């Protein structure tokens, strides 16, 4: 009889795949990458909880999905803050120039 190795937790696999795919999903307008990063984080936490209860393999994948997902969210926040600052600087320059008559 052939004994099969235990399979990895499905949510851990989903978390890792979603985390990696989130970097490529920004071609989808309006939050494609953000959504997948969020999916990676949520499924990573769910997978870690299941793995702690059941003992099945996949803790490394779940953790990797979480780390990549959180890093991606942090990068998104940095980009949003940067562009908000750029827009604010441009608007300040425009209104400052208009107020001085230039």
């Amino acid at each position: 009889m052939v004994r099969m190795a235990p399979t990895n937790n499905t949510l851990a696999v989903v978390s890792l795949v979603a985390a990696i795919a989130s970097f490529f999903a920004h071609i989808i307008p309006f939050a494609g990458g953000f959504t997948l990063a969020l999916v990676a984080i949520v499924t990573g936490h769910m997978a870690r909880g299941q793995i702690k209860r059941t003992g099945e393999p996949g803790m490394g994948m779940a953790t990797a999905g979480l780390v990549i997902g959180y890093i991606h969210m942090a990068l998104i926040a940095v980009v949003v803050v940067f562009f908000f600052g750029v827009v604010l600087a441009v608007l300040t320059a425009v209104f400052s120039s208009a107020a001085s008559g230039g």
Side-chain angles (χ1 to χ4, degrees):
M1 179 182 323
V2 176
R3 185 175 170 130
M4 301 206 36
T7 59
N8 289 314
N9 180 285
T10 304
L11 286 174
V13 175
V14 169
S15 176
L16 184 58
V17 169
I20 293 169
S22 69
F23 285 99
F24 301 102
H26 285 286
I27 58 172
I28 300 169
F30 306 111
F34 173 81
T35 303
L36 280 179
L38 187 61
V39 166
I41 291 169
V42 170
T43 56
H45 280 293
M46 291 171 62
R48 286 179 54 87
Q50 282 183 357
I51 291 167
K52 285 178 184 175
R53 282 193 309 277
T54 64
E56 60 189 327
M59 184 66 83
M61 281 194 278
T63 303
L66 277 171
V67 168
I68 295 169
Y70 278 122
I71 288 172
H72 193 171
M73 288 295 225
L75 289 173
I76 290 171
V78 166
V79 168
V80 166
V81 167
F82 173 76
F83 280 114
F84 179 75
V86 168
V87 168
L88 193 61
V90 168
L91 288 176
T92 302
V94 167
F95 287 118
S96 164
S97 175
S100 66

